Amino acid sequence: MINYLASKFIKRYKETEDPVVQAEYISLSGSLGLALNLVLFISKLVVGFVTNSIAIISDSFNNLSDSLTSVIAIIGGIASKQPADKEHPQGHGRYEYVASLFVSMIIMYVGFELFKNSVIKIRHPEDMDFNVISVGVLLFSNIVKIYMYSYNSKLAKRFDSTLNDGVAKDSLNDVIATTGILIAGAVSVFLGKNLDGIAGVLISILVFKTGLEFASSTISVLVGEQPSEELIESIVNEVEKGKYIKGYHDLIVHNYGRGKIIASIHVEIPIDISVVEIHNIIDGIERAVLNRTGVELVIHMDPSYSIYEQYSSEDMDLETKVVDIIDMKDDYFKLESAAKIIKSGGLVAMPTETVYGLAADGLNPEAVQKIFDVKQRPADNPLILHVSSVEEVEPLVTEISDKAKLLMDKLWPGPLTIVFKKSDLVPDIITAGADTVAIRLPDNEIARALIKLSGTPIAAPSANISGRPSPTNAIDVFVDLNGKIDMILDGGGSKIGIESTVVDVVDEQPKILRPGYYGYDTISKLIPEVSYDRALVSEGEVPRSPGQKYRHYAPKAELHVYSASLDNQIKRLQDDIAKYKAEDKKVGIMTFTEHMPVYDADVILNVGSIYDLEEMARMLFSKLRDFDRMGVDIILVEGVEETGLGFAIMNRLRKSAGNKVIEE
Ligand code: TXA
Ligand code: MG
């Protein structure tokens, strides 16, 4: 019946996850209870007077008090639905608890009254006329109450409603009480013993007890209860997944009723990380918790440990200094000391808009050799020279073609590397013996200032150990190169996150050798005859950019990337997660904010919205490193369509995967 009524009176009756709909169900159950209780009250009151039974009369008042409780249930349900306002910013969900408290008080009061009257009846027994009609009404009452018990306990379970739970319990007690009256009646008819008063006493104690229990459970919620283990576990789970979060304490959960849960937690964060970066991490955790549990979590940060310290050790070749550059003017002296290191043949990691670079004096072969040693880079992989202005290109090349000029004009400074014919000034070690040199003017003022102050073109590959994901923040550089280089300039997270586009304009037929932030569309608008190097689009070709032949960007775990062209990528990923889990593997997945809730992996890392590939590019490498930190056995990556920036992203992912791409 309740389902039938719901389909009649509740517009969105199927959306039972919605707290508004839940509240509507609860008030509907209240209205039904009110109607049924009124029927029972009137019929028992009449029968009670006709038969002169204190037990039946008390029982009728018991039902009246129940209808009162139904009224409060309805008011509570309506009030719970009221949206938050200025005076009640947490909404009105707790009205339900207040209403429940009222209900329990009334039940206790009725119990007390019943008790009093029944004691009087024991002392002064009166004749009573227990007949067929009274038996019929009492049996009818039991059937109604059993029905009420059944639908209220169902709703209580379904919506976790304390109110329906109370009504269900009360209905069951009513059945016991009414049955007691029936038995007492039978005894007086067949054995001639008037048990009316005694039955009344027993009923009253039962009723009082229900009220008391109901009150104490409601008060406990109002005072503030320990949240459920499951809830704590899922909140803590998301918090612990957060990058750089070492520990947590003081989790407090405030339940304002009907889906309004607010929580706070203290987490331990590093002392040596930029505010912007840790804010992004914290924000990500808060959003993940809201997604997973519906809880609005607020995170308090306790700076408590040093990341740099934990990677330091006594037997390092060098002491690597990490230097924050926050303000170009105030921190100028730091840039000067970095330039001094470059000029004397040392190594400095510097931020660029693409990824962090490992800088050395590009005209000093000994300094450049250090780059190869530190990175364990194959000697046949040439380096890019970085300049701080267009004028600095000329001495390094034999000729600047019109095409090159156009690219420099339009896309420099920026994430574009151009390959020229080299001049004699450029050492062989830079070009790996080739007669061409790759040059880039980065769009990052820290990098440009360092180049300018050093007074020399700067050789700078990505500042990672060869084969590892490129670093996009100072800490990722530190993890790979601490103790091996002189200094790291910390300029915050890289804006773009993947390396520059490399374009070769030396040949008649210009080529994109490495895809990057600028894709085919951007380059071909300026140089229509440009094409991708064939090695980028078909397998088995030898790439013209030596760096493209190695496995790159690889995290420690095996990585599979799923092509966006798969018919049902999500379903396939879900199946594979289940499969690897069954093999007892710790499975990590890299996915988008929108898809986070559909995967049941051990570690779920989010690279932003599926509609924002720039965000994905920015996060890609640091997330790959996060998987290592979390010790997963296998990483599954949701792929993107291979056009525009997606082409460059998939180029990096294919290399990370050692070409393990799931395509059908
Ligand atoms: O965004 C970037 O380019 C970053 C930042 C630090 O500027 N640097 C970077 O460097 O990615 P690296 O060394 O990791 O990659 C340089 C790429 C390699 O694929 C290399 O083979 C290619 O450029 N390259 C360098 N000189 C070349 C040349 N003369 N001809 C063809 N390819 C060249
Ligand atoms: Mg590299």
Side-chain angles (χ1 to χ4, degrees), residues 350-358 375 377 380-386 415-417 419-420 430-432 434-440 442 460-464 470 498-502 504 513-514 544-549 552-553 652:
M350 64 173 185
T352 84
E353 79 278 32
T354 56
V355 300
Y356 272 67
L358 181 55
K375 272 183 63 90
R377 182 177 173 107
D380 67 352
N381 193 4
L383 300 175
I384 298 170
L385 286 182
H386 294 67
L416 173 73
T417 297
V419 177
F420 299 87
I430 291 286
T431 64
D435 59 355
T436 55
V437 61
I439 303 181
R440 176 162 113 79
S462 49
N464 53 303
S470 298
I498 56 172
E499 303 86 346
S500 60
T501 307
V502 180
D504 183 349
L513 304 185
R514 177 174 74 180
R544 278 170 48 182
S545 182
Q548 289 285 313
K549 37 175 213 236
H552 256 161
Y553 322 117
R652 304 304 192 271

Side-chain angles (χ1 to χ4, degrees), residues 638-656:
E638 201 172 312
V640 294
E641 221 184 299
E642 297 185 51
T643 56
L645 187 52
F647 186 77
I649 290 172
M650 287 301 280
N651 166 272
R652 304 304 192 271
L653 283 172
R654 283 170 180 272
K655 289 197 192 314
S656 308

Side-chain angles (χ1 to χ4, degrees), residues 342-343 350 359-364 367-368 371 384-389 392-393 395-396 423 425-427 430 437-440 447 450-460:
I342 298 285
K343 280 191 271 193
M350 64 173 185
D361 179 348
L363 302 184
N364 175 351
V368 175
I371 291 181
I384 298 170
L385 286 182
H386 294 67
V387 294
S388 67
S389 71
E392 292 163 31
V393 176
L396 304 171
S423 75
L425 195 63
V426 179
I430 291 286
V437 61
I439 303 181
R440 176 162 113 79
L450 179 63
I451 300 164
K452 189 155 203 107
L453 286 171
S454 305
T456 177
I458 278 186

Side-chain angles (χ1 to χ4, degrees), residues 155-177:
L155 288 181
K157 268 215 196 87
R158 202 151 136 205
F159 302 140
D160 197 24
S161 156
T162 48
L163 207 122
N164 289 87
D165 191 45
V167 176
K169 275 193 192 128
D170 184 57
S171 304
L172 206 57
N173 277 333
D174 289 349
V175 173
I176 294 168

Side-chain angles (χ1 to χ4, degrees), residues 518-534:
Y518 292 131
Y520 174 80
D521 286 349
T522 312
I523 307 294
S524 66
K525 257 185 211 129
L526 300 170
I527 306 176
E529 61 271 42
V530 79
S531 61
Y532 276 124
D533 183 18
R534 287 179 52 194

